[in-house]
Amino acid sequence: MKNEDRYSLILGIESSCDETAAAVVKDGRQVLSNVISSQVPTHTIYGGVVPEIASRQHIEAIDGVILKALQDAKVTFDDIDAIAVTEGPGLVGALLVGVSEAKGLAYSLKKPLLGVHHLKGHIAANYITDPSWEPPFLCLVVSGGHTDLVYIRDYENYEILGRTRDDAAGEAFDKVARAIGLGYPGGPKVQKAAEAGDPEAISFPRPCIEEEGYDFSFSGLKSAVLNYLNQERMMGHEISQEDVAASFQAAVVEVLVTKTMQAAKKYRVKRIAIAGGVSANKPLREGLREACRKKKIDFCCPEFILCTDNAAMIASAAYYSYHRGESSPLDLNADPGLTL
Ligand code: KG4
Ligand code: ZN
């Protein structure tokens, strides 16, 4: 049976990494509530996400986060049509908390359960930001675990044109931040430091930029930064955190923008979107916006709060499968390596 009779309210749940999140979204595009309980202060002490601690904190937070999402949306469980949850990829213990909670709710409330791929969620953040945004489009997905160029033909059909061969862009930001003493979370701190630095101070490599195809590689760039830091320290030179941050960020942004535009040309796309935590990076957003403007390509990027992990994007992504009458079985399992 297709679910077409009236508007739909989907409760989204997200717990794949270090944010416990729940949201209520109407008809896939209108956010009625979006509650995010961040674990950043806890993990900052350790310089990165500690999976065991993340799982435990999700367990402590999840009931309260869901109730707050219902309260903020001014609805009750009875009003909800379906429960959507991130089933993967992510940290297995963290994912299991959300998946178990969603299964319990779906079973007891007798509502359909919808398992959602985390990256489809990130991509769907664009549908919320621009309610007129629809496939087909090219999307640069850049998060802590992924760097993929995805062609979205329609709501069901995702083709990966290129991906990173090693580190993800967000991972490179996090590792470089640690190396220059900025700590976790790396991306926003590198961006902030870079504002006071010179992007041309150090000439870091632009990996894969001259190569055919749409794959990325960031581990060589990260090593180049580490080598530079070692050399400078050995020579007793003072290191400018700001210049390293700005030069590294400029290299990442140039590679991401160039590869995306190369793919856009080859596939003759008319619309480009961006998704994932690194899409919050201002120079990247502006770089891609400008490149699209020059080529008269429509550009969409999620508003900042929807770039990093949240549950509104999960509820939005689930809407299209819900509408087709699909649902997941109640023995749905967390899948840390789920592919698109
Ligand atoms: O999508 P996300 O919240 O979680 C994953 O699914 O991985 O992405 C987190 C990543 C982290 O690596 C973080 O450093 C990066 O996104 N990030 C940024 C910025 N904000 C978050 N990277 C660069 N600039 C930012 N402003
Ligand atoms: Zn994410």
Side-chain angles (χ1 to χ4, degrees), residues 90-112:
L91 301 171
V92 67
L95 287 166
L96 268 172
V97 178
V99 168
S100 311
E101 182 87 4
K103 288 199 291 191
L105 285 175
Y107 178 70
S108 55
L109 299 168
K110 298 187 176 56
K111 313 258 178 187

Side-chain angles (χ1 to χ4, degrees), residues 118 122 143-145 170-171 173-174 185-188 191 276-278 280-282 307-309:
H118 183 72
H122 274 302
S143 70
E171 199 177 348
F173 267 98
D174 294 336
Q191 182 185 310
V278 184
N281 184 269
K282 279 192 199 154
C307 288
T308 42
D309 292 347

Side-chain angles (χ1 to χ4, degrees), residues 68-336:
K68 175 100 171 53
L70 294 175
Q71 246 171 29
D72 288 359
K74 298 189 175 54
V75 298
T76 66
F77 278 125
D78 285 345
D79 302 313
I80 297 295
D81 294 292
I83 318 284
V85 64
T86 305
E87 60 174 308
L91 301 171
V92 67
L95 287 166
L96 268 172
V97 178
V99 168
S100 311
E101 182 87 4
K103 288 199 291 191
L105 285 175
Y107 178 70
S108 55
L109 299 168
K110 298 187 176 56
K111 313 258 178 187
L113 173 72
L114 297 150
V116 176
H117 191 290
H118 183 72
L119 296 187
K120 287 188 183 173
H122 274 302
I123 293 167
N126 287 285
Y127 305 141
I128 300 173
T129 299
D130 178 355
S132 69
W133 192 262
E134 285 186 336
F137 61 94
L138 176 67
C139 189
L140 172 68
V141 184
V142 266
S143 70
H146 291 82
T147 301
D148 295 343
L149 259 175
V150 186
Y151 189 64
I152 294 103
R153 255 176 247 292
D154 59 51
Y155 294 108
E156 291 168 83
N157 194 328
Y158 296 70
E159 186 188 344
I160 299 194
L161 307 180
R163 55 158 51 112
T164 182
R165 296 177 189 146
D166 38 59
D167 291 355
E171 199 177 348
F173 267 98
D174 294 336
K175 287 178 177 169
V176 166
R178 199 172 307 151
I180 57 176
L182 292 173
Y184 164 88
K189 291 192 171 167
V190 169
Q191 182 185 310
K192 183 92 187 46
E195 281 164 16
D198 174 4
E200 289 174 9
I202 311 146
S203 163
F204 289 130
R206 268 68 172 154
C208 297
I209 214 160
E210 307 285 346
E211 276 181 32
E212 294 235 343
Y214 308 105
D215 281 348
F216 301 94
S217 164
F218 291 105
S219 91
L221 172 58
K222 172 200 67 191
S223 302
V225 174
L226 297 181
N227 288 343
Y228 169 83
L229 295 173
N230 283 340
Q231 270 168 19
E232 293 299 295
R233 281 178 190 138
M234 267 166 28
M235 288 191 287
H237 295 166
E238 206 174 304
I239 292 162
S240 159
Q241 259 183 350
E242 291 79 9
D243 284 350
V244 176
S247 303
F248 160 77
Q249 181 177 259
V252 175
V253 169
E254 191 179 328
V255 170
L256 292 174
V257 172
T258 307
K259 282 279 151 199
T260 306
M261 297 315 288
Q262 284 170 356
K265 187 173 174 199
K266 169 84 197 289
Y267 288 82
R268 299 176 185 202
V269 302
K270 298 269 176 288
R271 347 182 63 208
I272 292 179
I274 189 167
V278 184
S279 67
N281 184 269
K282 279 192 199 154
L284 176 60
R285 294 159 80 92
E286 292 323 310
L288 211 45
R289 189 189 304 283
E290 181 55 18
C292 287
R293 193 190 57 76
K294 282 191 188 143
K295 296 285 174 199
K296 298 191 168 45
I297 292 175
D298 285 344
F299 177 62
C300 186
C301 60
E303 55 187 292
F304 287 110
I305 189 69
L306 296 175
C307 288
T308 42
D309 292 347
N310 66 88
M313 67 184 196
I314 301 302
S316 173
Y319 171 77
Y320 303 95
S321 9
Y322 172 72
H323 228 258
R324 289 192 296 272
E326 296 170 9
S327 65
S328 303
L330 281 174
D331 64 356
L332 178 74
N333 204 355
D335 184 350

